[in-house]
Amino acid sequence: MQFNDYLKTCRERYGLTQEQLVQELYNANDEFSGLNPSTLSRWERGTTRPSLSRQVSIIKLFKKYSTHFFPCFYDMDNVEDELCRVGIRNLIGHSKEHILKFPTKAFTVDDIKISHIRSYKDLDIMLEMPHAILAGLTNNFFNIDIDHLKSWALHPASLFVIAEHEGQFMGAFFTLRLKPDVFKKIISFEIQVNDVTENDIATFEEEACSFPIGFFAYNEKVASLLFLRYYAHLIANQDTIIEVGSTPLLDGGRKLVEAIHLTHLNDSNIENDTVSAYSAPLEDVLINQEVLKMIFQKQECPEDDD
C-alpha cells in the first residue's frame, strides 16, 4: 500500500471531505500552513506526496479517530507482505554480536522459513541451539534456562520464532507479552527476567507490553525477516500492546533497541556488568519516519533476494 492509497482510504473511512481534512491538519500542526484541497488531492492521486515528517503527522491525526495507530491496515490480508525488507535491514543496522556474516548468496529470502517454535513437536531439541547461542552471547548472565524458554514459548501470546534454511537453524527472535506491572518491575530492575512466570504473561485480550528477550541471526537477510515478523506482530496487536521495552547487556543490543526508537531509561550495575533499561510507547516505535518508509514505499523497495 502506498501512502496516497492509505490517505484516501482513511479520509473516506472517517467521512471527511478533502476540505475538512485540510482544516483538521491545519489546526493540528503549523507545518500544514498553506495546505489546500488541490494539494491534498494530488497527494491522494499519488501525483505528489507529502514529506515524511508530514506523513507522520497525518498518521497521528487519523489515530484520534481510532484506537489503532494504523486503522486502515486492517484492510490488508497480510501486513508482513507490505513491509520493505531492505528498509528493515537499514533500520536495524549491523550488530556484530547478534548478526553474523553467513554468505547471503547461499540462499534467497524465499528459502528461509520463519515459524513459531511452539509448532514443533520436539520443542526441547529446537530450543537447544537458540538457548546455547543466546546464553553464550551473555555468558548466561540472565540465568535463563531451557525450562524458562519452553514455558514462555508455549504460551500462545508469546512471540517465539525461529528462522530455518532446509531444516538448519538460522536465527531466532524471542519476545514476551508481559502484563504492564511486571514489565515496569523488570525495566526498573525490581525483578529479573528469569523471575517471569506464565502468570506474568498477558493474554491477547489484555493490555500488554512487548519485551524482546533474545535475538540472533546468521546474516542480515535473516535478521531482516525476523524483525519484519516482529513489526508485523506489533502492528497486528496495536490495539492491546501499549509499550515496548528491553534490558540489553551488550552494546550491540543497545544499538538495536535504540534503532527501533526505544529510549534509554537507566542502568544497573550487576556483578560488574552494566545492564541498560529501554522503553517507549508503541506509538513511538511504529509512527516514525523510518517505519513509514518501510510501509509506504514498498514499491520502491529494491529487490533483496539475490
Side-chain angles (χ1 to χ4, degrees):
M1 178 178 278
Q2 291 275 43
F3 185 80
N4 64 298
D5 297 320
Y6 189 87
L7 172 61
K8 184 176 181 180
T9 298
C10 281
R11 178 181 63 78
E12 292 177 344
R13 170 173 291 187
Y14 298 116
L16 298 171
T17 66
Q18 290 181 336
E19 290 77 9
Q20 288 172 327
L21 180 55
V22 166
Q23 188 62 49
E24 289 260 14
L25 291 168
Y26 176 80
N27 293 338
N29 197 312
D30 290 341
E31 69 177 328
F32 292 102
S33 176
L35 178 64
N36 55 58
S38 296
T39 299
L40 182 66
S41 177
R42 288 195 292 272
W43 290 351
E44 290 188 351
R45 297 197 309 272
T47 306
T48 60
R49 67 183 172 200
S51 65
L52 281 169
S53 64
R54 283 185 166 186
Q55 289 181 34
V56 169
S57 297
I58 291 170
I59 293 294
K60 289 183 176 180
L61 177 74
F62 283 131
K63 181 181 177 296
K64 80 175 189 176
Y65 292 100
S66 170
T67 58
H68 309 302
F69 299 117
F70 295 105
C72 301
F73 272 178
Y74 287 96
D75 292 337
M76 298 182 183
D77 293 328
N78 191 341
V79 173
E80 235 170 299
D81 292 338
E82 300 296 328
L83 302 178
C84 172
R85 290 188 294 264
V86 172
I88 289 182
R89 193 182 305 175
N90 293 336
L91 173 65
I92 64 178
H94 180 76
S95 165
K96 294 180 180 179
E97 297 157 329
H98 297 84
I99 306 173
L100 301 185
K101 292 187 176 181
F102 190 89
T104 59
K105 297 292 184 180
F107 51 80
T108 69
V109 293
D110 291 332
D111 297 325
I112 302 168
K113 178 184 177 184
I114 308 292
S115 306
H116 282 278
I117 201 166
R118 63 176 171 269
S119 65
Y120 292 86
K121 293 181 180 179
D122 50 352
L123 182 57
D124 292 88
I125 296 174
M126 295 303 299
L127 284 169
E128 286 179 359
M129 178 68 80
H131 174 261
I133 292 173
L134 296 172
L137 283 172
T138 62
N139 293 317
N140 204 22
F141 177 85
F142 296 105
N143 294 314
I144 296 173
D145 57 31
I146 287 184
D147 287 337
H148 284 114
L149 294 180
K150 183 177 180 180
S151 173
W152 299 335
L154 286 172
H155 196 288
S158 297
L159 182 72
F160 274 53
V161 294
I162 61 170
E164 291 181 289
H165 175 245
E166 297 181 349
Q168 298 298 311
F169 175 79
M170 297 294 293
F173 196 113
F174 296 164
T175 183
L176 296 170
R177 181 185 172 92
L178 296 175
K179 294 179 179 178
D181 60 329
V182 178
F183 175 84
K184 294 298 184 185
K185 289 179 180 178
I186 291 178
I187 62 174
S188 61
F189 302 110
E190 294 178 39
I191 63 173
Q192 301 287 329
V193 179
N194 61 4
D195 293 320
V196 172
T197 69
E198 292 180 56
N199 293 330
D200 298 323
I201 300 177
T203 66
F204 283 118
E205 292 75 27
E206 295 176 305
E207 278 196 342
C209 300
S210 180
F211 188 80
I213 62 168
F215 163 70
F216 174 82
Y218 274 20
N219 61 31
E220 293 178 354
K221 192 174 290 186
V222 175
S224 66
L225 290 176
L226 289 168
F227 264 89
L228 183 148
R229 176 63 63 90
Y230 182 55
Y231 271 99
H233 168 78
L234 292 177
I235 292 171
N237 291 276
Q238 60 184 281
D239 53 344
T240 52
I241 293 177
I242 58 175
E243 197 165 350
V244 179
S246 187
T247 54
L249 174 67
L250 305 175
D251 287 339
R254 294 184 183 95
K255 290 178 181 178
L256 282 171
V257 298
E258 288 171 359
I260 65 172
H261 290 263
L262 300 193
T263 301
H264 179 244
L265 301 177
N266 51 66
D267 296 318
S268 179
N269 292 314
I270 304 174
E271 298 178 3
N272 298 319
D273 285 303
T274 300
V275 182
S276 301
Y278 288 79
S279 75
L282 183 61
E283 178 174 349
D284 293 350
V285 176
L286 291 183
I287 306 181
N288 57 70
Q289 295 187 26
E290 291 81 5
V291 172
L292 293 196
K293 284 172 67 176
M294 292 190 304
I295 295 172
F296 295 120
Q297 296 182 19
K298 169 71 174 178
Q299 285 80 355
E300 300 171 21
C301 186
E303 283 293 328
D304 58 340
D305 288 355
D306 54 14

